[in-house]
Amino acid sequence: MTMNRLTYAAIGAAATAVAAAAYAAPVVSTLGPLRNRFMPRLAGQGHPSHIALTFDDGPDPLSTPFFLRALENRRVHATFFLLGHAAHRTPTLVREIAAAGHEIAIHGWLHRPLLLRGPRATYDDLARARDTVADITGRPPALFRPPYGVMSTAAHFSAARLDLTPVLWTAWGEDWTARATPESVHRTVTADLRGGGTVLLHDSDCTSAPGAWRSALGALPRILDFCEERNLNVGPLREHGASISARTAH
């Protein structure tokens, strides 16, 4: 009897470990080089003549308007991955982003790792963010980016049920740290930027060092200049290529 109990306990522990590993398996997509090479759609790779410009963690009434003005001055559109709770607090700003011609996507309701949530909590988080943005803009978002860029099995299933396409990035600026500067953000982004790439910047410091968004704002004109010098068109993900835009053209 004791041996049987030990056997069942061992089997149960092994099954739990296997289930946990399967649930967390998508976390490998956080590894940029691996993602860029083997998961091009998830990485946001599009047409080689185009660069997708994306922003996370907004909307923030203290910082997002600066980015909107900078983009307007350069006649460039981008994709904004909004946090649902922030959108709920500032619906007028969300409508302003949409009215300016930018693409609205979601970054979840709260900026918490989805890997630590179960299937129901994950679905509820994404659904709440999607429905909030849809109510504000009159159009359901088509794209989703998980907080910290960490996917889980539940996140993939929930996104599919909600008709959301997960998109990460190929180049980021590490603009969330206190030591970031416009020069460091520009240097970090352009070191990995190639035609067809997706750039991640942040228009809010809600999960970053206070005021860190200023480094991204300062780097933005230089990044746009870099693309222009290489004849790369910059725009939102909806214009980035058939593999992504096919599901965004509702």
Side-chain angles (χ1 to χ4, degrees):
M1 182 66 68
T2 301
M3 182 59 69
N4 285 340
R5 287 178 178 174
L6 291 174
T7 300
Y8 285 128
I11 292 173
T16 300
V18 170
Y23 187 82
V27 77
V28 299
S29 65
T30 61
L31 302 174
L34 180 66
R35 178 176 71 244
N36 294 346
R37 181 172 182 180
F38 297 107
M39 310 171 196
R41 183 177 182 184
L42 181 61
Q45 292 187 10
H47 194 279
S49 67
H50 191 266
I51 296 295
L53 179 61
T54 71
F55 296 93
D56 282 8
D57 292 0
D60 187 330
L62 297 178
S63 54
T64 301
F66 287 99
F67 288 87
L68 294 180
R69 285 196 288 272
L71 293 170
E72 182 181 12
N73 289 338
R74 296 295 293 260
R75 298 182 180 178
V76 169
H77 293 134
T79 300
F80 285 79
F81 286 89
L82 306 183
L83 290 169
H85 76 94
H88 177 71
R89 291 201 310 262
T90 58
T92 300
L93 182 54
V94 175
R95 295 188 189 100
E96 183 180 346
I97 296 171
H102 302 293
E103 182 176 28
I104 304 289
I106 62 168
H107 199 32
W109 180 259
L110 295 172
H111 202 284
R112 295 177 181 171
L114 295 180
L115 193 61
L116 302 180
R117 297 184 175 193
R120 180 58 183 268
T122 297
Y123 178 86
D124 290 347
D125 182 273
L126 270 62
R128 190 178 183 188
R130 182 202 64 173
D131 293 347
T132 296
V133 167
D135 288 343
I136 294 171
T137 65
R139 179 176 182 178
L143 301 177
F144 156 68
R145 178 175 288 160
Y148 305 105
V150 178
M151 292 292 291
S152 66
T153 298
H156 279 290
F157 281 127
S158 297
R161 287 179 61 191
L162 294 166
D163 199 25
L164 294 167
T165 299
V167 183
L168 300 184
W169 60 86
T170 66
W172 63 4
E174 297 184 4
D175 53 349
W176 59 87
T177 67
R179 66 178 181 276
T181 65
E183 292 74 18
S184 73
V185 173
H186 170 259
R187 183 172 60 252
T188 304
V189 167
T190 56
D192 296 322
L193 191 57
R194 306 289 183 273
T198 292
V199 174
L200 163 61
L201 296 172
H202 294 80
D203 64 309
S204 169
D205 61 7
C206 71
T207 62
S208 307
W213 59 269
R214 297 182 185 278
S215 63
L217 182 65
L220 181 57
R222 301 184 188 190
I223 294 171
L224 295 178
D225 289 342
F226 174 92
C227 295
E228 185 175 332
E229 291 164 1
R230 287 156 181 78
N231 295 316
L232 295 170
N233 298 314
V234 179
L237 282 161
R238 66 179 176 229
E239 299 173 356
H240 198 41
S243 63
I244 296 172
S245 62
R247 291 188 63 183
T248 65
H250 293 318

